[in-house]
Amino acid sequence: SHHSVEPPLRQAALLVLKTFVLRTWSQSLEEFQQGVTITDATKDQVRQSLLALATSGDQERKVISASSYVVSKIASVDFPEQWPSLLPTLLQLIPRSHENQLHGVLVVLGNLVEDGFDEEQFGKSAVELVKCIYDIAIDQEKKLTSRALAISIFRACFDTMELMYQTDKASVRQFMQEASDAWTPFFVSVLKIPLPRIPTDEQEDEAGPGSWRGIVALKTQVVKALDKIHRLFPHLLSQHTLSLFSTVWESLQAHVGPYVTLYVTDNQQGRLEDADRLPYTLDFLVIEELDYLQTLFGSLTVKRELDAQLASDKISNGALEGTWIAQIMAILVGYSQITQEDEGLWNFDVNVFLSEETSETANYSPRNASTSLVQKLTKWPVLESLLGYTKTTFEAAPSRSEPPKVPIYIGIRLTFTYSNARAKEAALFVLKQILDELDSCSAEVDRILARAYLEYVGLAMRDEDEFLRARGYILAARLTTISSAGLLDVVPEYAQQTLNIIDQDDSDVVKVSCIRSLQEYLKTLPSSRAREFQVQTVAAISNFLSSQDLSELKESEDLLDTLVETLRDAIMADPSLCLEHPALDVLFTMASYGASSFQTTMLVNEAFESITSSMAAKGPDAYSQLCAKVLPTLTGALDVGDMTSENALSDMAVSLLSSLAEHGLKPLPQNFVATVMPKLYRLLFSSNDFSLNQSATVTIRHLLSRDADQVFSWQDPATGKGGLEIVLLIIDRLLGPDVDDASAAEVGGLAVELVEKAGADRLGPYLMQLLRIVAVRLSTAEHASFIQNLVLVFARLALTNAKEVLDFLAQVQVEGGAGGTGLEVVLRKWLEHSVHFSGYDAIRQNIIALTNIYKLHDERLAHIQVQGDLMVDNSSRIKTRSQSKRTPDRYSIIPVPLKLTKVLISELTNPLTPSTPGLMQNKLSGDSDDEDGEWEDEPNIVDLGNPTTTAELMAYADEAKWNVHQVDDDTQSYLVDFFKQASTEPDFETLYHSLTDEEREKLHSIDNKQSAQ
């Protein structure tokens, strides 16, 4: 708080204080750690000091931001019980604060709204809070950035109101409607504020009522707020939809000129935010306007109005020129132009160009936003409309980048034309997005239009500008390979041109564009012609690689993936030809540089798997030739990886070896095992990399599956041990305490394969020892896939010898906290995790094994207690991770027969339950709050271009990967027959009465279905 101290030191002190508060303040904080205890008096002093600092009007915004963040974290656990004065203090400060102090108050308030409030606390203060920030937002005497910050806080309120709406719809609806009615006229007035003159570099940071930076920040927050309201509560703005649409449309028209001047003609820096995370550059505003316009296009009112306008204009003019659809095409072309910044980045690093081209980039720009919007328009005649603009752009005399200084408005329309290389490229870029969308919807492309566009594509392919030239080749591949366009007859010609230019053009951007375009041609060409192109494509990629600095390929993932994808498609034309040219050598070269990339590894494995399966299908001779060619390279890669400690390279090589063994013929070529096993044995005893250990384990399992005799007859020359002993040593190591669950995840499958191939006679006493080790390791296993893998060892044995499995486990003693007999340990783990098993084969084997155990009616099982049903807490409070640690979930305790019955019932598909798509559709559509049918219901359309959507999808990534537990129809029939038989047995009635109502209902529904049939 001392102004005499240097700002960096003050900021550092606040960061240290933040860490201290998060770890020691309250157990409710997720970062809390037991140790230091802070007294209530000290806490009160810290609270007051931090609040005073955050609202002091300090000139250092980073100090204000850091202190307000700590205040919000404290408030999240102390407000209102231990800090009841916080919100009243802030609301009292707002009307009487000077500018600098007001800024601090708003920052604290914003953090409090985002992180510190729960629904109950917000509900008590919502009216006063919203009124206070509204007064700030409309006060033209306040700084524009302060007003923008107030709007940002209002927008954040809607997240909490959305939660409140679930429990108190009537009250929340009334409050939101009143707030919306008050704020909307203000929002519209802000949107209509014209941008000031583009500032010079010296003027850009100037403050004032008409400053460029302040107005852009204010307008940006308004659009973000409107978009959020429309997304969460569209009915609130229904009566304003048309006026908002018109206003945003006009804003986009007005901003295209300054945008082109700043970013296309000049090289102004974009995507800038201030210390309060408020965007203040024009490109951010344009992105928000384009996204919001896309939202508004979902309104049926807007669609009806646009349809009416389009019909009227076509009747009057007989053409699409001058219609709104033609005008929006012109606007989207304007915003899709390559900026100076992008041009510089793409010329410096072609990998950046490819990441933008494939939309695999975090750089969400107006060009990307235009793509999302144009895809929303394909129900209208966009191809016809864009053709007129493209014709004018290509045929008009060259002009400067910017449009006329005074645009000509006709209602909500704007007329201007660009005619330079960037505009031509942008027109073709927009065309590409339209074609992609039409193709994804299986919509036809008019042949006359396609031929007309092809003329301009040809001009682009011959242009001097490298980016326009690259766009021409990309679009040629897209346009000619759409079957409905009627251009398939010219595909070979354009494919050959594309191949030739890879070696002839000087631009890397053009080269990689052509290489990527070959993917379209190779998938479309007849198989005979595709085989002809295979050799040329391999040669072109090889030549391109030789011209590059291969050491930089590791950092160029998108480039590497493009090369591998094109090579893969060339190989797929006829994988058997790969032994006749260097395709495999090129593939392995790229694999070695992309070994650390998951995507590259997957593509290489996919290509190699196609080659292996194709060669194996041709017979033993072809497969042996393949092995003779690739085994030296792959084992050499293992040696290089071992010497350089590059686990990724070794992992890639082992994965390819695994594919080679998996698709191999029985028996494997001579000396296959002798070549591979020593390398795998060494890796498994020296590496701690979980992925490498998993791949090596799977490879050995495939070797056993394909040629167990060769494995058992092989003898390691270094140790003198036989193949069987080596495999047993590997299993013993992987099941040992020094190997983690992830590294040993595949050992269960290897153990099962060994038992089945070797048999009890060959294994002798090692069989019981092996099973004992598996049971002991299962007692400490925590990783879900590892538990499944180990349980399936006993499940596979129980398919034919269930009683022997139980007898053996009953004799095993497991030491430790989770110890007991092997029977207790295995059954607890088995039954608690059974419902999480994945894979049709694994689930089928598990179910049959459990039914076999049930049919034994073994009295020992009734004395083993296991985890039952979750004991549900009636509290409505959301549980955080820290709260879950302090109060973990509790389960009932039940005997094994009952748990086993519950598990098997859970595997039944209830015939009365709607199918998954219906459930998802109901969940997505939800309760309609839009009584007048204003918004079109599009539950299955996901806008991946929108960053909000992307973030929401990413949040489900971890959950989605577990949603793979499905039971096939044959197993369902088996289960139904099992319960039909079990229900006639005396013991089942006792179990039946211990089931839940839902479980009994599921059994009844199946019985009713059987009766109906």
Side-chain angles (χ1 to χ4, degrees):
S1 61
H2 293 280
H3 295 276
S4 59
V5 179
E6 290 294 322
L9 290 177
R10 298 174 66 197
Q11 189 179 357
L14 284 167
L15 291 175
V16 173
L17 179 60
K18 179 197 75 171
T19 303
F20 179 76
V21 166
L22 292 176
R23 292 181 178 178
T24 61
W25 197 270
S26 170
Q27 291 185 356
S28 298
L29 293 170
E30 293 183 2
E31 299 87 346
F32 179 80
Q33 298 177 1
Q34 293 287 351
V36 180
T37 302
I38 307 176
T39 64
D40 291 341
T42 302
K43 286 184 176 182
D44 186 61
Q45 182 181 358
V46 171
R47 282 192 289 258
Q48 300 307 322
S49 299
L50 281 173
L51 181 60
L53 176 60
T55 60
S56 64
D58 196 298
Q59 296 290 336
E60 293 296 333
R61 291 207 163 193
K62 291 184 177 180
V63 171
I64 295 294
S65 184
S67 58
S68 64
Y69 177 81
V70 183
V71 168
S72 68
K73 283 298 182 182
I74 295 175
S76 68
V77 293
D78 286 1
F79 178 81
E81 287 83 2
Q82 285 79 37
W83 203 357
S85 62
L86 174 59
L87 185 60
T89 300
L90 293 174
L91 297 180
Q92 290 170 12
L93 283 172
I94 287 178
R96 51 189 176 86
S97 298
H98 56 78
E99 278 295 345
N100 288 335
Q101 187 180 20
L102 177 62
H103 166 258
V105 174
L106 290 175
V107 170
V108 174
L109 191 59
N111 285 328
L112 188 62
V113 170
E114 290 182 2
D115 300 319
F117 276 138
D118 61 21
E119 298 94 305
E120 182 180 356
Q121 296 161 0
F122 180 82
K124 293 178 180 178
S125 55
V127 174
E128 186 179 4
L129 170 62
V130 172
K131 176 65 170 59
C132 275
I133 57 178
Y134 174 77
D135 291 340
I136 295 296
I138 65 172
D139 190 347
Q140 298 187 18
E141 299 299 321
K142 302 295 184 185
K143 292 174 82 171
L144 290 168
T145 51
S146 295
R147 297 171 65 191
L149 200 54
I151 298 171
S152 175
I153 296 171
F154 176 64
R155 175 169 54 88
C157 291
F158 275 83
D159 290 324
T160 307
M161 284 191 279
E162 183 186 17
L163 297 175
M164 295 173 59
Y165 189 71
Q166 307 303 318
T167 56
D168 189 3
K169 291 188 176 182
S171 299
V172 174
R173 175 189 282 269
Q174 179 181 355
F175 169 76
M176 290 189 302
Q177 190 65 63
E178 292 173 356
S180 174
D181 291 342
W183 283 79
T184 302
F186 163 66
F187 286 161
V188 173
S189 67
V190 171
L191 291 177
K192 291 182 177 181
I193 297 175
L195 290 177
R197 292 178 62 87
I198 297 176
T200 63
D201 292 341
E202 293 77 17
Q203 296 171 333
E204 186 175 2
D205 293 331
E206 290 182 0
S211 72
W212 171 274
R213 181 169 170 171
I215 288 180
V216 170
L218 184 67
K219 291 168 78 73
T220 302
Q221 291 305 313
V222 165
V223 180
K224 287 169 73 73
L226 285 169
D227 194 28
K228 187 153 199 172
I229 296 171
H230 257 125
R231 289 178 182 276
L232 296 181
F233 308 104
H235 63 278
L236 295 178
L237 298 175
S238 294
Q239 60 181 330
H240 305 287
T241 300
L242 283 179
S243 62
L244 287 169
F245 181 83
S246 177
T247 303
V248 175
W249 180 292
E250 291 174 2
S251 294
L252 279 169
Q253 293 170 336
H255 297 162
V256 69
Y259 174 82
V260 171
T261 300
L262 286 170
Y263 305 111
V264 180
T265 304
D266 296 334
N267 190 17
Q268 295 293 320
Q269 188 174 358
R271 296 187 289 274
L272 297 178
E273 297 179 342
D274 65 15
D276 301 318
R277 295 176 297 169
L278 292 178
Y280 64 85
T281 50
L282 181 60
D283 57 332
F284 269 135
L285 173 58
V286 168
I287 289 171
E288 296 300 335
E289 289 175 334
L290 288 168
D291 284 345
Y292 185 40
L293 196 67
Q294 181 182 345
T295 300
L296 291 171
F297 266 108
S299 165
L300 293 177
T301 300
V302 169
K303 290 183 177 181
R304 285 192 291 264
E305 176 64 23
L306 293 177
D307 284 338
Q309 281 194 28
L310 193 61
S312 175
D313 288 343
K314 289 177 70 175
I315 292 173
S316 303
N317 305 329
L320 291 170
E321 293 183 9
T323 61
W324 68 265
I325 189 66
Q327 294 303 318
I328 198 169
M329 288 294 103
I331 292 173
L332 293 177
V333 169
Y335 286 122
S336 296
Q337 293 183 79
I338 299 172
T339 64
Q340 291 280 353
E341 181 184 5
D342 284 340
E343 179 179 344
L345 288 172
W346 296 353
N347 276 323
F348 177 76
D349 186 356
V350 72
N351 191 69
V352 179
F353 166 76
L354 280 174
S355 67
E356 294 282 351
E357 192 63 29
T358 56
S359 299
E360 295 177 358
T361 174
N363 177 22
Y364 189 67
S365 65
R367 184 173 168 105
N368 304 122
S370 297
T371 296
S372 300
L373 179 54
V374 77
Q375 291 171 348
K376 193 89 170 180
L377 304 177
T378 51
K379 64 167 289 184
W380 287 290
V382 286
L383 280 178
E384 296 89 332
S385 302
L386 183 60
L387 179 60
Y389 186 86
T390 304
K391 178 180 179 181
T392 304
T393 302
F394 272 84
E395 297 179 0
S399 69
R400 298 175 59 199
S401 295
E402 65 268 19
K405 293 296 183 183
V406 182
I408 304 171
Y409 289 95
I410 304 175
I412 62 169
R413 304 183 186 128
L414 174 68
T415 59
F416 58 79
T417 303
Y418 302 98
S419 57
N420 53 50
R422 279 195 176 87
K424 294 173 185 177
E425 191 279 338
L428 296 184
F429 173 81
V430 172
L431 174 59
K432 170 70 161 48
Q433 312 314 313
I434 295 172
L435 293 175
D436 287 343
E437 182 65 16
L438 291 174
D439 191 43
S440 69
C441 300
S442 301
E444 293 192 355
V445 176
D446 184 87
R447 298 189 173 201
I448 297 176
L449 289 175
R451 292 277 177 182
Y453 274 118
L454 193 60
E455 177 184 348
Y456 301 115
V457 170
L459 293 173
M461 292 166 66
R462 298 187 295 274
D463 199 89
E464 294 181 357
D465 184 88
E466 63 176 317
F467 295 110
L468 178 55
R469 202 160 63 249
R471 181 60 52 198
Y473 283 101
I474 291 171
L475 193 56
R478 176 76 282 207
L479 187 60
T480 59
T481 55
I482 295 177
S483 58
S484 63
L487 298 173
L488 295 179
D489 57 314
V490 300
V491 166
E493 174 191 345
Y494 278 86
Q496 190 62 57
Q497 289 185 44
T498 301
L499 262 172
N500 295 340
I501 206 68
I502 296 174
D503 292 329
Q504 298 170 6
D505 205 288
D506 295 330
S507 169
D508 279 351
V509 170
V510 176
K511 289 176 184 286
V512 299
S513 297
C514 290
I515 290 173
R516 187 166 185 266
S517 298
L518 286 175
Q519 298 171 23
E520 300 271 5
Y521 293 127
L522 289 165
K523 294 173 183 175
T524 307
L525 285 166
S527 57
S528 59
R529 296 301 303 272
R531 283 195 293 271
E532 295 175 10
F533 276 94
Q534 186 186 81
V535 177
Q536 299 178 64
T537 302
V538 172
I541 294 175
S542 179
N543 292 337
F544 177 78
L545 281 173
S546 65
S547 68
Q548 302 295 305
D549 184 353
L550 296 182
S551 63
E552 296 181 357
L553 275 182
K554 291 183 179 181
E555 307 300 327
S556 303
E557 185 174 328
D558 292 288
L559 173 58
L560 201 55
D561 290 349
T562 296
L563 297 175
V564 174
E565 285 176 333
T566 305
L567 182 62
R568 176 202 60 192
D569 291 341
I571 290 171
M572 296 287 280
D574 189 348
S576 64
L577 297 177
C578 290
L579 297 181
E580 302 175 9
H581 51 70
L584 285 169
D585 296 330
V586 176
L587 180 67
F588 290 157
T589 298
M590 292 189 289
S592 65
Y593 287 100
S596 58
S597 165
F598 172 79
Q599 178 71 9
T600 305
T601 302
M602 184 179 68
L603 292 171
V604 170
N605 276 314
E606 182 181 339
F608 189 70
E609 185 175 343
S610 299
I611 297 170
T612 303
S613 58
S614 176
M615 299 299 285
K618 289 182 175 294
D621 290 341
Y623 180 75
S624 296
Q625 291 176 26
L626 175 65
C627 292
K629 182 176 179 63
V630 303
L631 278 177
T633 302
L634 296 179
T635 54
L638 289 176
D639 292 334
V640 172
D642 187 36
M643 289 186 294
T644 59
S645 299
E646 290 190 39
N647 287 333
L649 180 59
S650 297
D651 191 15
M652 169 78 81
V654 173
S655 296
L656 297 179
L657 283 173
S658 181
S659 293
L660 191 64
E662 181 182 9
H663 296 91
L665 300 176
K666 299 180 181 180
L668 293 171
Q670 189 176 4
N671 293 325
F672 190 108
V673 172
T675 303
V676 173
M677 274 297 289
K679 311 287 186 182
L680 300 176
Y681 178 45
R682 187 191 71 241
L683 281 174
L684 286 168
F685 272 82
S686 62
S687 173
N688 292 319
D689 182 80
F690 77 91
S691 180
L692 182 55
N693 283 330
Q694 288 182 13
S695 299
T697 307
V698 170
T699 304
I700 297 175
R701 176 164 60 84
H702 290 321
L703 293 178
L704 280 171
S705 174
R706 292 298 174 186
D707 198 343
D709 289 338
Q710 189 176 158
V711 174
F712 296 145
S713 62
W714 166 72
Q715 190 170 32
D716 182 23
T719 62
K721 294 181 172 65
L724 176 60
E725 187 177 358
I726 291 291
V727 176
L728 286 170
L729 287 172
I730 289 172
I731 293 174
D732 183 65
R733 166 171 159 70
L734 292 175
L735 290 174
D738 297 332
V739 179
D740 59 40
D741 285 9
S743 294
E746 298 293 339
V747 70
L750 177 59
V752 169
E753 199 70 44
L754 179 64
V755 170
E756 292 184 351
K757 296 299 182 183
D761 293 338
R762 190 191 293 265
L763 284 171
Y766 292 120
L767 176 59
M768 295 298 107
Q769 184 179 349
L770 173 62
L771 297 179
R772 181 178 290 103
I773 295 173
V774 173
V776 171
R777 187 65 179 86
L778 183 59
S779 69
T780 59
E782 297 180 354
H783 197 282
S785 62
F786 185 40
I787 292 173
Q788 172 180 329
N789 209 255
L790 295 182
V791 165
L792 287 177
V793 173
F794 300 102
R796 290 276 285 270
L797 293 172
L799 294 178
T800 55
N801 300 287
K803 186 177 186 308
E804 288 78 0
V805 170
L806 298 189
D807 290 341
F808 165 74
L809 289 174
Q811 300 172 22
V812 175
Q813 287 296 321
V814 178
E815 305 295 333
T821 67
L823 188 62
E824 295 170 338
V825 168
V826 170
L827 285 178
R828 285 188 185 121
K829 286 281 187 176
W830 190 341
L831 295 174
E832 288 172 13
H833 294 84
S834 180
V835 294
H836 303 301
F837 286 5
S838 60
Y840 283 121
D841 288 340
I843 293 172
R844 184 186 302 112
Q845 292 169 12
N846 179 57
I847 288 174
I848 296 174
L850 289 177
T851 57
N852 287 347
I853 293 174
Y854 177 91
K855 291 174 184 177
L856 294 175
H857 299 292
D858 194 309
E859 294 183 358
R860 292 171 294 187
L861 304 186
H863 301 291
I864 301 175
Q865 300 294 308
V866 296
Q867 187 182 87
D869 297 325
L870 175 67
M871 300 172 68
V872 180
D873 185 359
N874 293 325
S875 172
S876 61
R877 185 174 181 179
I878 298 175
K879 241 184 184 182
T880 64
R881 286 194 296 269
S882 59
Q883 291 168 344
S884 296
K885 290 179 182 178
R886 295 194 304 272
T887 56
D889 292 334
R890 295 180 299 130
Y891 293 84
S892 61
I893 303 299
I894 59 178
V896 164
L898 177 57
K899 178 67 175 182
L900 198 155
T901 306
K902 285 175 171 286
V903 168
L904 291 175
I905 291 175
S906 71
E907 300 290 1
L908 285 168
T909 299
N910 192 335
L912 301 180
T913 301
S915 62
T916 299
L919 288 174
M920 289 303 297
Q921 183 167 338
N922 292 337
K923 181 176 178 61
L924 288 168
S925 57
D927 296 330
S928 175
D929 295 307
D930 197 3
E931 294 87 348
D932 59 358
E934 161 66 13
W935 293 90
E936 187 172 34
D937 185 19
E938 296 180 338
N940 295 320
I941 297 177
V942 180
D943 176 18
L944 295 177
N946 188 280
T948 302
T949 305
T950 304
E952 290 172 350
L953 288 176
M954 291 300 293
Y956 288 103
D958 288 339
E959 179 182 348
K961 68 182 179 182
W962 297 106
N963 190 23
V964 291
H965 189 94
Q966 298 179 358
V967 183
D968 61 90
D969 293 339
D970 290 339
T971 308
Q972 281 293 313
S973 300
Y974 172 84
L975 265 179
V976 170
D977 291 341
F978 164 77
F979 277 110
K980 186 176 181 181
Q981 179 181 350
S983 63
T984 63
E985 299 173 357
D987 293 345
F988 189 79
E989 184 176 355
T990 304
L991 296 173
Y992 177 82
H993 291 298
S994 299
L995 298 174
T996 64
D997 292 339
E998 182 182 354
E999 290 165 342
R1000 287 196 291 264
E1001 179 60 31
K1002 184 178 283 191
L1003 290 177
H1004 281 304
S1005 65
I1006 292 170
D1007 186 53
N1008 293 336
K1009 181 182 178 182
Q1010 292 288 314
S1011 301
Q1013 292 175 345

